[in-house]
Amino acid sequence: MENKYGLYIAHEGTVVRLPVNPESYSITKDNDNGNYNVLGVGPIMIPRTPKLQTAAWSGLLPGRADLGAVLTAGAFQPPKFYIDFLQTAMDEKWIVRFVANRYTEDGSPIFDTNMEAIVTRFKSEERGGETGDFYYDIALSEYRDYSPKTVKLQPSAEVGQPVTATSETTRSIPQGQLTVGQAVTVNGDCFYNSYGGEPHATLSGFRGQISRIVTTDPQRPYPYHIATESGGAKGWVKASQIQVVS
C-alpha cells in the first residue's frame, strides 16, 4: 500500500517532498510565561504570547531510488538537489511552507501541520561505507508576518467627537476571481509543482481551499495550489479544475 504520510517544504511554487520519512520528528510550541514572587502572595505566573513553533528532525537523503523507504521513486532526485534547496533556503532567508501530511498505515488521514517557517539550521554529512547517501539535520522556526498595517483616520462630522480609525487591509474581490483562502471543489489531476511535474493524485469532487496562487509566470500551467480544509498541502491545479463553493 502506498505510504501517504509525508513531509513537504515548499517555496515559490516548488514543492519538495522529503524522499525518506525520518524515524521521528518533533514539533514544539512553548509559552513565554513570566514567573514572579509577590509579597504576601508568593509565586505567581503571568501568561504571555506563546513562543514561535519549531520543527526539527534528522533524516536520510538516499543516493539511489531502489531503497525500499524512498517515497519519491517516480521523481527521484539525488541528495545534491535537496542539499542545494535547503542550504539556499537558509542562506537567502526564504520564507518556506512546512507541511506534514499524516496518515495511518491503512491510508486514513489523521491531521496535518501547515505553517510558514524559516530554515534556522541545516547540516549534511556522509558516512563511511554508505557512498552516495547523505544524512542531515534540520530545524525550522515558525514565521510570523510583522509587516505594518495601514490605518486611515476618519474625522467625525461633529465638532468635539473622537476620531475613528478604520483598517484598510481588506479589499473588495471582483466577482469570479479566485483568491487565496477560498473554499473550492476540485476535479482532475493535481501535481507536485505548478509546472506540472508528476501528477500524484486524481481528485473527484475534492473539497478544500486555495492556499497559494502563482499567475505571474505564463510558463506555469497549474498556478493554483490546493490544500485540505485544515490546511494540508494537496497539489497544483489549473483554474478550469476549480469551482468556488458559495
Side-chain angles (χ1 to χ4, degrees):
M1 179 178 291
E2 178 189 1
N3 185 353
K4 295 183 177 181
Y5 199 122
L7 302 184
Y8 301 80
I9 298 176
H11 176 71
E12 293 294 338
T14 299
V15 180
V16 173
R17 182 180 187 179
L18 297 180
V20 176
N21 285 341
E23 292 183 3
S24 65
Y25 66 97
S26 63
I27 297 179
T28 307
K29 189 170 187 177
D30 295 323
N31 278 332
D32 191 19
N33 297 329
N35 294 287
Y36 301 93
N37 277 298
V38 178
L39 290 175
V41 177
I44 66 170
M45 178 173 287
I46 298 177
R48 295 177 177 170
T49 302
K51 295 181 180 179
L52 296 173
Q53 191 170 217
T54 60
W57 66 89
S58 299
L60 166 67
L61 300 173
R64 60 193 188 282
D66 58 358
L67 183 68
V70 175
L71 303 172
T72 56
F76 180 76
Q77 295 285 353
K80 186 178 185 300
F81 168 81
Y82 302 96
I83 292 172
D84 288 348
F85 178 82
L86 294 170
Q87 284 183 339
T88 302
M90 186 171 64
D91 294 342
E92 298 189 4
K93 303 178 179 65
W94 285 353
I95 299 170
V96 301
R97 183 165 292 279
F98 167 65
V99 175
N101 280 350
R102 300 180 179 88
Y103 293 84
T104 59
E105 289 81 358
D106 64 1
S108 301
I110 308 175
F111 71 96
D112 299 328
T113 292
N114 188 327
M115 70 176 185
E116 287 190 318
I118 297 173
V119 180
T120 54
R121 177 171 57 87
F122 178 73
K123 183 184 81 170
S124 62
E125 65 174 87
E126 294 180 272
R127 298 178 183 175
E130 300 181 56
T131 304
D133 295 339
F134 284 76
Y135 292 83
Y136 70 96
D137 296 312
I138 188 170
L140 301 99
S141 181
E142 179 185 4
Y143 171 79
R144 290 180 185 164
D145 186 7
Y146 56 89
S147 58
K149 294 183 179 180
T150 300
V151 175
K152 183 177 181 180
L153 297 178
Q154 300 284 355
S156 174
E158 298 182 20
V159 177
Q161 292 298 314
V163 174
T164 60
T166 59
S167 174
E168 292 193 339
T169 56
T170 59
R171 299 180 181 178
S172 60
I173 300 172
Q175 186 175 5
Q177 180 174 320
L178 297 174
T179 61
V180 172
Q182 279 182 318
V184 296
T185 56
V186 186
N187 294 281
D189 291 339
C190 62
F191 298 81
Y192 273 121
N193 59 55
S194 57
Y195 295 99
E198 189 187 1
H200 69 95
T202 300
L203 306 178
S204 179
F206 174 80
R207 178 157 181 161
Q209 61 178 315
I210 299 174
S211 61
R212 189 175 180 82
I213 299 175
V214 183
T215 56
T216 56
D217 184 355
Q219 300 302 315
R220 303 188 188 205
Y222 301 90
Y224 296 91
H225 188 264
I226 302 300
T228 64
E229 291 180 308
S230 61
K234 200 66 181 176
W236 293 85
V237 300
K238 60 179 63 175
S240 61
Q241 297 175 245
I242 299 173
Q243 183 174 357
V244 176
V245 176
S246 58

